Amino acid sequence: MQDPVTRLDERFSAPDAQATPWPAAREVLETAQLFWITTVHADGRPHVTPLVAVWLDDALHFCTGPEEQKAVNLSGNPHVVLTTGCNDWTQGLDVMVEGEARRVTDRSALERLAAAWAAKWDGQWRYQVTDAGFTHEAGEALVLAVRPTKILAFTKGTFAQTRYTPAE
């Protein structure tokens, strides 16, 4: 998300709070080791599970096996929320990304993403690129990208809620 519109939501912020600058929120997305994804079952119930993700080219990317519950849910409803942060009330920055998950099948994009996964986790996540996504020791993995429609950052300690939306 290049130069997003940044707004402090005063309703949910301390009186003297300042909007969190976009580079600080983007850094959290780039460096987070774990995210929680929320998808929706066909009957409307939420489904939440942890996963690893990579921020690249202004989108958050993740993988799933084609038979996993999140993949099944996404086939009927592509809307997701991915959340990362820490369990401390007094410090840190929690970030939430909202958007639609879309398959990535472009081979050059997949090659770049496989390299990004390997680099981010010092080689612990190694994928081989296929025409359909990735393969690894556990089998096939679909690769999805979420281009944010909205990002929220929750600054703790100074208690600020900042909203980022794509520039028009």
Side-chain angles (χ1 to χ4, degrees):
M1 192 184 281
Q2 295 291 328
D3 301 316
V5 175
T6 303
R7 290 193 181 96
L8 178 72
D9 191 330
E10 295 176 4
R11 299 172 301 166
F12 307 113
S13 300
D16 58 346
Q18 300 292 314
T20 301
W22 170 240
R26 187 183 63 229
E27 181 180 4
V28 168
L29 295 172
E30 291 170 346
T31 61
Q33 292 287 311
L34 187 67
F35 289 81
W36 292 87
I37 186 170
T38 304
T39 60
V40 181
H41 288 275
D43 65 5
R45 292 176 299 122
H47 173 75
V48 180
T49 190
L51 52 70
V52 296
V54 172
W55 178 263
L56 185 68
D57 297 335
D58 296 323
L60 197 54
H61 299 82
F62 65 94
C63 298
T64 183
E67 305 301 320
E68 290 184 42
Q69 187 63 55
K70 59 186 164 293
V72 172
N73 293 350
L74 291 169
S75 69
N77 182 344
H79 295 95
V80 298
V81 176
L82 290 125
T83 307
T84 193
C86 66
N87 292 340
D88 191 310
W89 178 250
T90 61
Q91 61 185 347
L93 183 65
D94 297 337
V95 180
M96 183 236 35
V97 174
E98 186 176 306
E100 291 187 9
R102 300 286 180 207
R103 286 275 308 273
V104 178
T105 57
D106 176 76
R107 193 165 189 98
S108 65
L110 291 167
E111 295 282 354
R112 292 179 57 242
L113 285 164
W117 252 284
K120 185 172 181 179
W121 285 277
D122 296 327
Q124 295 177 32
W125 289 87
R126 291 211 177 268
Y127 294 111
Q128 290 75 47
V129 174
T130 70
D131 290 335
F134 291 157
T135 60
H136 55 97
E137 67 277 352
E140 179 184 356
L142 307 176
V143 181
L144 295 107
V146 178
R147 295 218 175 272
T149 55
K150 173 175 66 175
I151 296 176
L152 295 177
F154 303 91
T155 304
K156 296 183 263 180
T158 56
F159 303 105
Q161 180 177 313
T162 306
R163 179 183 180 126
Y164 311 94
T165 52
E168 299 287 321

